[in-house]
Amino acid sequence: MSRMGKMPIQIDKQVKVEIAGAKVTVTGPKGTLTFDVPKPISVALEDSTLTVAREGETRDAKAKHGMVRSILASHVTGVSQGFTRTLEIQGVGYRGQLSGRKLTLNLGYSNPVEYDVPEGVTATMPDPTHIVLQGIDKQLVGQIAANIRSFRAPDAYKGKGVRYAGEQISLKEGKTV
């Protein structure tokens, strides 16, 4: 039995879960998320506990058991509390600007990088070197953060670029004479 998959998911009073066949809908104060449960996995709701079980011991069922439980737990957390990802911009002259849903980043290229933040994620910039992404879908918030980071990943020698808040970069030693 999967260690992650067999753990029950506790549901807050403010979160409502509906199961219709293979579709699970999670509704909370921040929004609504839906998930289609794959075939060998079943989901049951008892009182305020959501349990995930698998049918059979095939390799496919074992692989999906923990994944489905983690996704549903993320949905329950997302609609009640939400997820936040913070990015830092480091480097001389590196900065960003947010106007509406358009993020403009000056990252040392000849032209600024422009990125439209998709629906479902809100971006704020408390100062020109920090970007805060918030949303209810953990996967979407993480993917947007990874996309923004990929515009200029931290340099291995000076550490300049876009990094996650708190990310430690091990710098390489430069050339010696």
Side-chain angles (χ1 to χ4, degrees):
M1 192 78 173
S2 170
R3 279 190 243 164
M4 278 308 288
K6 67 182 177 182
M7 292 174 22
I9 303 168
Q10 297 299 323
I11 299 172
D12 296 342
K13 293 173 182 60
Q14 57 194 7
V15 177
K16 181 181 167 190
V17 177
E18 295 177 5
I19 301 172
K23 181 173 258 172
V24 178
T25 305
V26 183
T27 306
K30 292 194 177 269
T32 302
L33 292 171
T34 60
F35 180 69
D36 292 325
V37 179
K39 197 66 161 172
I41 306 298
S42 62
V43 179
L45 178 65
E46 296 174 9
D47 298 330
S48 64
T49 304
L50 197 62
T51 55
V52 179
R54 66 175 180 240
E55 300 158 4
E57 293 294 318
T58 64
R59 183 180 177 123
D60 185 47
K62 289 179 181 180
K64 291 179 181 173
H65 189 194
M67 178 197 70
V68 169
R69 191 255 175 220
S70 295
I71 290 172
L72 290 175
S74 296
H75 283 6
V76 169
T77 304
V79 297
S80 62
Q81 300 167 4
F83 292 101
T84 302
R85 198 73 171 169
T86 305
L87 297 167
E88 298 173 347
I89 304 171
Q90 291 190 349
V92 177
Y94 288 16
R95 63 187 178 280
Q97 182 180 357
L98 184 68
S99 59
R101 298 198 67 78
K102 184 177 284 288
L103 182 65
T104 305
L105 302 170
N106 294 328
L107 299 173
Y109 298 120
S110 59
N111 294 320
V113 177
E114 294 185 351
Y115 183 72
D116 292 322
V117 180
E119 293 294 324
V121 175
T122 58
T124 56
M125 291 193 71
D127 58 68
T129 59
H130 288 82
I131 304 167
V132 179
L133 301 171
Q134 295 176 326
I136 61 172
D137 191 357
K138 184 177 186 178
Q139 189 275 332
L140 184 61
V141 171
Q143 185 63 51
I144 302 298
N147 290 348
I148 293 172
R149 184 182 186 272
S150 72
F151 294 141
R152 175 76 80 166
D155 182 271
Y157 295 97
K158 294 184 181 178
K160 299 184 340 181
V162 180
R163 64 175 73 181
Y164 300 116
E167 181 181 6
Q168 296 292 322
I169 305 295
S170 59
L171 299 179
K172 291 182 179 179
E173 187 177 333
K175 290 184 179 179
T176 57
V177 177

